[in-house]
Amino acid sequence: MAKKLFIPGPVDVSPEVAAKMSEPMISHRSKDLYDLHAHLIESLKRLMYTQNHVITFTSSSTGVWEAAVRNCVQKKVLCVDNGAFASRWFDVAVACGKEADKLEIPWGSTVKPEQLDAALSKGGYDSVTLVHNETSTAAMANLQSLAPVFKSHGVTSLVDCVSSLAGVKIEVDKLGLDVCLSGTQKALAVAPGMAFASVSPKALEISKTQKGKGYYFDFIVHMKYWEKDHQTPATPSIPHMRSLDYQLTKILDVEGAENRFKRHHEMANTARSWAKKHFELFTEEWCASDTVTCVKNTRNADLSALGKELSAKGYQFSNGYGKLKGQAFRIAHMGDRKPEELATYLAAIDDVLKL
Ligand SMILES: *Cc1c(COP(=O)(O)O)cnc(C)c1O
């Protein structure tokens, strides 16, 4: 039986969006594909509030972490580390042979502008990696307050908006983000397997002289093909492109981006009120995310048993991530999820735990 996914990715994909993946195949060297690619990029630029070019990759978002590091970290990168995903991006930077330092922030919190400023003031960094919405702890950074710090230190900003983009407004150009990356299977509610990033003129300029970029994720290779009739260097996942393009039209022209952000904010308020009534928030409230809520298991409930009972009711439950397993659990409220569905899920937990 298909279960309703209350995990923070992959999330449920609507039948119409999923159906786009099974349309008859076309050539990847055809005008139809180039037109699809161009339309998709225009829509992504609208969603990201940017005039920067957006590059799509046939990989999950982890691949674009690697792309961002290989194309844009010149000598040394500062990696803000406040959770499992942020920490893994640091590992990726090191695996790519870059000199990298961690700016460690406790789990459940995120970096404040003064902390970032102090770390960058030590000098020697040309770039920063930041996970906007740390999915393991549901902590969301305040980009408005951090952007001026990136700017004042002149660092290249590499920002992961994987579990926030399309659930929260992220104005790439206003913020001046150099690389803003995301993927399909979180708040965008498309199948996993494709990712993308906006790239600023500065990011492209740096990429031109970088060594050891490899080929598949080289921004400049992608730009060359884009400039030739909107081509892609290799065969892209045409099913994902169609599905994402269709979903973006629904988001931008049917629901409306602002309405979508509002719906996410309202669901977050519902989840947080519920969490505070019966448990506690794991996340510091000032940085609690609008797409996922992390709940501290203050009742010492048996979360494995809870997961099994919810499964029997047709739901996929999300235990705490990694070291938080058993101590916390997460409630995803992102993508096309409706407030009524969230309310029904919370009532199901009430029922199981007799709250
Ligand atoms: C899910 C996620 C990723 C990794 O995405 P993959 O699709 O598994 O590569 C990266 N960053 C954040 C914040 C995520 O939530």
Side-chain angles (χ1 to χ4, degrees):
M1 187 186 70
K3 278 181 268 181
K4 263 201 160 83
L5 302 176
F6 278 88
I7 54 174
V11 305
D12 291 328
V13 180
S14 74
E16 319 90 84
V17 172
K20 288 281 158 194
M21 298 192 82
S22 57
E23 288 183 356
M25 208 34 64
I26 55 173
S27 164
H28 71 299
R29 301 287 176 221
S30 67
K31 177 142 191 325
D32 284 350
L33 192 279
Y34 309 155
D35 289 349
L36 168 65
H37 188 198
H39 190 261
L40 173 60
I41 299 308
E42 271 318 302
S43 299
L44 285 171
K45 286 166 72 170
R46 280 174 69 197
L47 179 70
M48 301 171 90
Y49 300 85
T50 188
Q51 295 302 314
N52 289 342
H53 183 58
V54 176
I55 303 175
T56 59
F57 302 91
T58 301
S59 82
S60 75
S61 304
T62 304
V64 192
W65 276 348
E66 192 157 324
V69 163
R70 286 184 186 269
N71 282 274
C72 296
V73 175
Q74 294 166 284
K75 244 188 94 56
K76 195 171 176 189
V77 59
L78 179 71
C79 300
V80 177
D81 177 7
N82 65 324
F85 288 97
S87 179
R88 202 183 299 164
W89 202 357
F90 167 83
D91 295 341
V92 166
V94 172
C96 288
K98 302 294 181 182
E99 210 184 319
D101 285 343
K102 277 185 181 181
L103 167 53
E104 288 190 66
I105 305 286
W107 281 39
S109 189
T110 188
V111 68
K112 295 195 174 110
E114 55 275 18
Q115 293 170 312
L116 182 64
D117 184 55
L120 287 173
S121 297
K122 289 186 197 136
Y125 302 108
D126 53 73
S127 44
V128 174
T129 66
L130 171 74
V131 172
H132 175 226
N133 192 63
E134 174 48 68
T135 320
S136 62
T137 63
M140 191 164 77
N142 183 325
L143 292 176
Q144 279 86 347
S145 71
L146 298 172
V149 183
F150 293 140
K151 201 166 168 197
S152 71
H153 288 273
V155 289
T156 310
S157 50
L158 312 175
V159 181
D160 167 324
C161 293
V162 176
S163 60
S164 49
L165 189 79
V168 177
K169 189 172 197 172
I170 297 160
E171 295 179 281
V172 169
D173 286 359
K174 254 193 207 162
L175 295 164
L177 305 182
D178 290 302
V179 174
C180 176
L181 67 96
S182 191
T184 45
Q185 82 273 28
K186 309 264 168 101
L188 273 162
V190 172
M194 192 173 149
F196 52 88
S198 65
V199 288
S200 70
K202 176 185 172 184
L204 291 174
E205 211 43 54
I206 292 170
S207 175
K208 276 183 193 156
T209 57
Q210 287 281 95
K211 299 242 168 4
K213 282 185 287 181
Y215 181 86
Y216 197 67
F217 288 105
D218 183 346
F219 292 168
I220 304 304
V221 170
H222 281 263
M223 290 309 294
K224 270 191 194 139
Y225 277 85
W226 167 257
E227 281 154 15
K228 221 165 49 186
D229 306 325
H230 306 145
Q231 299 201 30
T232 55
T235 320
S237 174
I238 297 168
H240 279 97
M241 290 174 77
R242 284 170 163 163
S243 189
L244 177 61
D245 183 59
Y246 180 75
Q247 173 70 334
L248 284 166
T249 301
K250 282 184 60 181
I251 291 171
L252 296 166
D253 300 329
V254 182
E255 181 176 24
E258 294 286 351
N259 290 335
R260 191 176 182 85
F261 305 146
K262 207 166 125 234
R263 175 168 56 80
H264 279 80
H265 186 64
E266 283 168 7
M267 291 193 294
N269 279 337
T270 303
R272 291 198 277 265
S273 306
W274 178 90
K276 286 193 282 180
K277 186 168 159 208
H278 300 298
F279 295 89
E280 273 173 37
L281 289 179
F282 175 80
T283 319
E284 291 178 9
E285 194 157 4
W286 68 275
C287 59
S289 165
D290 268 3
T291 58
V292 56
T293 294
C294 189
V295 185
K296 197 190 265 181
N297 184 12
T298 45
R299 293 175 169 260
N300 233 340
D302 181 341
L303 297 183
S304 302
L306 173 62
K308 281 195 193 110
E309 300 229 28
L310 289 169
S311 175
K313 290 175 180 283
Y315 298 110
Q316 179 70 55
F317 170 74
S318 183
N319 206 321
Y321 191 101
K323 68 182 184 190
L324 294 181
K325 191 169 176 196
Q327 297 169 36
F329 61 97
R330 293 171 302 162
I331 302 165
H333 30 80
M334 64 172 87
D336 296 339
R337 184 60 71 224
K338 295 187 181 76
E340 314 78 274
E341 295 171 313
L342 174 64
T344 311
Y345 181 63
L346 297 176
I349 301 179
D350 290 348
D351 191 41
V352 174
L353 296 180
K354 316 228 174 334
L355 298 178

